[in-house]
Amino acid sequence: VDAVTACMVDASKAPHVHGHWLFYFDVDDLDAALAAVRSHGGIVIGEPHTLENGARLCPCVDPQGAAFGLVERGR
């Protein structure tokens, strides 16, 4: 593993959200990966976030309801 991406979010006031780990998978092109998520029946949650190091990430949900994230490392 070259790098690990992690973040902490307070979801305690979000309805129907329980505490959980969200695993992020590296992708070469975040925009293309998000389009693939949508085209295969998944849900992209919000807009991609850009971190200070240039990495872009976005949480998603697959068609079966499993949450995951995608990250494109800074260029």
Side-chain angles (χ1 to χ4, degrees), residues 6-72:
C7 65
M8 295 176 61
V9 176
D10 180 6
S12 62
K13 295 183 175 94
H16 311 292
V17 176
H18 57 83
H20 62 279
W21 290 98
L22 184 61
F23 294 95
Y24 281 80
F25 298 95
D26 285 329
V27 296
D28 292 328
D29 182 336
L30 183 61
D31 296 320
L34 295 176
V37 168
R38 290 182 184 104
S39 71
H40 288 91
I43 299 169
V44 174
I45 301 173
E47 295 296 320
H49 302 281
T50 302
L51 304 180
E52 289 181 17
N53 66 1
R56 296 174 62 226
L57 53 92
C58 192
C60 302
V61 177
D62 75 12
Q64 290 77 36
F68 65 96
L70 299 173
V71 60
E72 175 187 345

